[in-house]
Amino acid sequence: KPTIVATLVSDDLLAAIGKLTAEYGRIGNNLNQIARYFNQGGILSSEMRNEIRKSLRDIYEMKYKVMKMAGDFRGSN
């Protein structure tokens, strides 16, 4: 389990974390809507499949952004 030790908190870091948190919230909302659709008997369409792929891609992109931010914050890449 990686540990991040914060020794300095800057306005830029807090703003970046806030932005990522908001993006996670939007993706979570999209995934909840997709799950609700399927739980109500919705048919998987190509449009829905593309939306699922896009949401998963967004999650992975944010994961790498967070990992990079953590590396930059600790002084490594």
Side-chain angles (χ1 to χ4, degrees):
K1 206 172 193 183
T3 302
I4 298 173
V5 177
T7 57
L8 176 65
V9 177
S10 70
D11 290 340
D12 290 339
L13 177 62
L14 292 175
I17 291 171
K19 184 177 178 181
L20 287 172
T21 301
E23 288 183 41
Y24 278 127
R26 284 191 291 278
I27 291 171
N29 184 48
N30 288 345
L31 293 174
N32 284 336
Q33 290 176 6
I34 292 167
R36 186 177 312 116
Y37 174 81
F38 288 124
N39 287 333
Q40 293 174 351
I43 298 171
L44 181 63
S45 66
S46 62
E47 182 179 338
M48 185 65 66
R49 201 174 288 121
N50 290 336
E51 185 64 29
I52 292 169
R53 285 187 185 119
K54 181 185 177 304
S55 293
L56 290 171
R57 185 176 57 244
D58 290 346
I59 289 170
Y60 280 106
E61 286 176 11
M62 282 192 294
K63 172 188 170 188
Y64 293 115
K65 285 181 187 178
V66 169
M67 290 171 63
K68 180 169 178 7
M69 284 173 44
D72 290 347
F73 187 70
R74 289 188 314 243
S76 62
N77 288 329

